[in-house]
Amino acid sequence: MTREGFIQLFNLPTIMDEKVETLRAELQQVKQENNTIKVMLEVLSSKCTKLESHLQEILNNKKAEVKGIRSNQIGSVLNLDTNKRARLEFPTAKKPLQIFVRTHPKDDSLIINDGYQWRKYGQKVTKDHASPRAYFRCSMAPICPAKKKVQRCIHDKSILVATYDGEHSHDVPHESLKPSSSTPKGSSEANYFPTSIPRDKEGMNIDFALSGWETNRRTSEDAMQNHDNRSNIKAEEYVSSLIKDPDFTMALAEAVARTITDQKKQKDLNLNLDLPEE
DNA sequence: CGGCTTTGACCAGCGC
DNA sequence: GCGCTGGTCAAAGCCG
């Protein structure tokens, strides 16, 4: 055996250890990506369900039009009969807008900086969620009917799901797209990409928090924090144009599906090579 | 002191 | 009618 050969043989365990470490790191990364895709799939699936129900609703409405408005008249009479506790009810939008916001994993607050000033009026632990749901009311105008519910995603607790009800009765506060000074003391707010998604596009809104999360996590965190007003508005315009394109949603779904296929291929390859699986 | 959050109590709707 | 659940109220306490 040559001298070089002996040295190589002597260093073999170290080389193997390094390789194992590299492979472990890669495996870990793939696992994380897998989790992200799971969440995205869940979101897409829920949106698909919403679209289906919306379609069903449209079909039902068409049927109702054919039959006439008789049933609606009966319904309104029934409403008048109710002798229930008078709640301050304002006319709200037909469908709530849902927004997904990524927060720091260690941040357990339910506060999202979306440019408006919200006052928390309740918190509840719901049946199907381990994390509590917080209820907020817009406090920018005395009689603003806008409300929102904020809850953490079941599968990824770093993601906040905000459901908006009602429309604001005042102007959009562009200035406060940055974290506002009126923000509750000491609370860290979630990074937020403003949207101007029309309500009729509900179900097609994009999960800003999720898109490109794994591939560009660090960049997006830093970038979002450093966004100034102008870039936020630009982003808003850009996102709006994307959302208006129905092909974009399809392309996104295809991309997710492709990623899953690629991952499966990689896994099969690893198995063929007899690589250890955790 | 005003504005906010917290939290237990209360209420309405719904299913059984 | 009853129990469960989600949504809201309101008193108490905290903080700048």
Side-chain angles (χ1 to χ4, degrees), chain A residues 67-118:
Chain A
K67 285 182 183 175
I69 55 165
R70 201 178 158 190
S71 58
N72 284 342
Q73 287 170 337
I74 294 167
S76 56
V77 169
L78 284 175
N79 279 343
L80 286 172
D81 277 345
T82 52
N83 188 22
K84 288 159 194 166
R85 178 183 159 200
R87 276 201 186 168
L88 209 57
E89 297 257 334
F90 294 93
T92 56
K94 280 179 187 174
K95 293 189 175 185
L97 172 70
Q98 253 190 357
I99 283 173
F100 299 82
V101 181
R102 182 167 55 82
T103 62
H104 192 278
K106 286 178 184 176
D107 179 15
D108 58 348
S109 70
L110 290 169
I111 295 161
I112 297 168
N113 176 31
D114 53 9
Y116 291 96
Q117 199 177 330
W118 299 95

Side-chain angles (χ1 to χ4, degrees), chain A residues 182-236:
Chain A
S182 58
T183 302
K185 46 257 167 180
S187 61
S188 55
E189 290 181 327
N191 291 327
Y192 177 82
F193 258 71
T195 68
S196 58
I197 302 162
R199 290 198 175 270
D200 59 352
K201 295 279 179 189
E202 200 270 333
M204 292 178 75
N205 50 332
I206 307 303
D207 311 311
F208 305 103
L210 294 173
S211 52
W213 183 44
E214 268 315 315
T215 52
N216 207 7
R217 193 186 319 178
R218 195 63 247 163
T219 321
S220 63
E221 276 178 12
D222 294 341
M224 279 195 219
Q225 278 171 359
N226 295 329
H227 259 322
D228 61 14
N229 251 1
R230 260 180 83 177
S231 61
N232 269 340
I233 294 161
K234 274 192 174 180
E236 185 177 10

